[in-house]
Amino acid sequence: MPPRSTRPAPLDDDDYPAYTMGRAAEMLGTTPAFLRALGEHRLITPLRSEGGHRRYSRYQLRVAARARELVDQGTPIEAACRIVILEDQLEEAQRINEQLRTRGGESQPKTKA
């Protein structure tokens, strides 16, 4: 999944690319090769520092952790990436649906029975 933002942000921003590849791999208990593979399968696209080094956000680390969980359960990495993408799309669709439901209920006139 591409980074959701490229602007400098406060430290509590989930999209801020705060982690190097080595630190991200260490936090996830995996290897840099695993993170590169997630990029090859277009699950996450880390930002690059001025020196060209990959930088990961907390959001991307959560996505990578979910993929690792599936791979650890025996799911091939390609399938794990697709599953995570579909889960993310479903979550977004449900969020939008709920917003529309909430707004729809507010804007419709109330009728008397």
Side-chain angles (χ1 to χ4, degrees):
M1 291 175 191
R4 296 188 293 185
S5 173
T6 58
R7 68 187 185 345
L11 294 176
D12 62 346
D13 185 346
D14 271 356
D15 295 322
Y16 185 74
Y19 304 98
T20 63
M21 176 179 273
R23 180 68 180 127
E26 180 183 315
M27 291 170 69
L28 295 171
T30 190
T31 64
F34 179 76
L35 292 173
R36 282 191 294 276
L38 296 180
E40 290 168 10
H41 292 291
R42 295 188 171 101
L43 180 62
I44 54 176
T45 304
L47 290 173
R48 297 281 183 151
S49 68
E50 288 183 18
H53 300 283
R54 290 173 178 90
R55 305 286 295 193
Y56 297 88
S57 69
R58 284 189 297 222
Y59 170 77
Q60 290 173 323
L61 294 184
R62 283 195 302 274
V63 169
R66 176 65 179 132
R68 178 170 187 239
E69 182 180 297
L70 291 168
V71 169
D72 287 350
Q73 294 171 1
T75 306
I77 193 165
E78 305 86 21
C81 290
R82 186 67 183 140
I83 289 168
V84 174
I85 289 168
L86 290 170
E87 287 174 343
D88 192 58
Q89 290 173 343
L90 175 61
E91 183 180 317
E92 178 69 7
Q94 289 173 328
R95 185 188 61 75
I96 291 169
N97 195 17
E98 183 59 32
Q99 285 177 345
L100 292 172
R101 244 190 249 132
T102 302
R103 274 191 252 152
E106 293 172 359
S107 63
Q108 293 181 4
K110 296 182 181 180
T111 59
K112 294 183 181 180

